[in-house]
Amino acid sequence: MNRPACRTFFSALVLTLRWINWGIRWAVIWPLATMVLFIAFVLWKDGTTPGQLMAREIEQVRMATAAGQFPVNICRESDLFTTTPPVLAEDCPVTLTDAAGYAAERNRTLLQLGKAVWATLALLYVSLAVMTGVVPVKMAPYVYGRSALYYRQADGSTGKIIDADPVSDKNKPEK
């Protein structure tokens, strides 16, 4: 490959890597970090811990059903899209199931909620980054052997951008 083709290829590669890094940062890392903070603040708000929440749930199950049975509120997503959603979980029909069915239903509802919150936050962060202009841009070509105070002109020659004195007219590029 000749030198301009290599330069074009590597410029495109670096720009692609910048966009991938930007996407991971704004669509994955920031939303997930915000979700972790939300969870921590909600749990610290009234002094509860996940263990205390599970102990309360176990006590409610023991009082409401016979041994080996678990009540599960069945509010499927198809019901939520075709009809008005129930205001409370108690408005959904209750089914008794075993421990595996109970765990599967809890996992399904938590996963559905987590995906919805993550997608909302990802959309929020990505749109905020785009609106404020925090997106990767193609960098100006680097002039080898020159400091950052130089730039390349259209005819290939270089000119000095800044001198040490920022107030005087000496800051203007040489002609």
Side-chain angles (χ1 to χ4, degrees):
M1 285 176 87
N2 57 9
R3 191 174 201 134
C6 283
R7 220 179 254 165
T8 304
F9 170 74
F10 285 117
S11 294
L13 179 67
V14 167
L15 187 61
T16 302
L17 291 174
R18 282 186 190 136
W19 274 104
I20 290 170
N21 182 25
W22 180 87
I24 290 172
R25 179 183 298 149
W26 290 98
V28 177
I29 294 173
W30 283 110
L32 291 179
T34 304
M35 288 173 61
V36 167
L37 288 175
F38 283 163
I39 292 168
F41 288 142
V42 165
L43 291 178
W44 284 340
K45 181 181 154 196
D46 57 354
T48 58
T49 63
Q52 291 172 340
L53 293 174
M54 289 184 79
R56 279 191 223 145
E57 184 75 23
I58 291 169
E59 286 301 317
Q60 289 175 352
V61 167
R62 283 185 184 165
M63 293 169 39
T65 61
Q69 293 182 335
F70 296 88
V72 174
N73 293 334
I74 305 297
C75 291
R76 298 284 180 207
E77 54 270 352
S78 61
D79 297 334
L80 296 177
F81 290 123
T82 57
T83 61
T84 58
V87 177
L88 300 172
E90 288 83 22
D91 295 339
C92 298
V94 175
T95 302
L96 295 178
T97 184
D98 61 349
Y102 180 77
E105 182 65 21
R106 286 291 178 202
N107 290 341
R108 186 192 66 79
T109 56
L110 288 175
L111 187 62
Q112 182 182 3
L113 177 65
K115 284 180 181 178
V117 171
W118 172 77
T120 304
L121 288 173
L123 182 65
L124 173 81
Y125 278 113
V126 166
S127 60
L128 180 68
V130 169
M131 286 188 303
T132 57
V134 183
V135 293
V137 294
K138 187 174 179 182
M139 299 297 286
Y142 178 74
V143 179
Y144 296 99
R146 301 287 185 170
S147 72
L149 301 178
Y150 288 87
Y151 68 97
R152 183 177 293 261
Q153 294 177 348
D155 64 354
S157 63
T158 58
K160 197 168 186 181
I161 294 177
I162 321 178
D163 276 333
D165 185 15
V167 181
S168 69
D169 286 339
K170 293 190 300 184
N171 294 340
K172 295 184 181 169
E174 300 169 3
K175 293 185 182 181

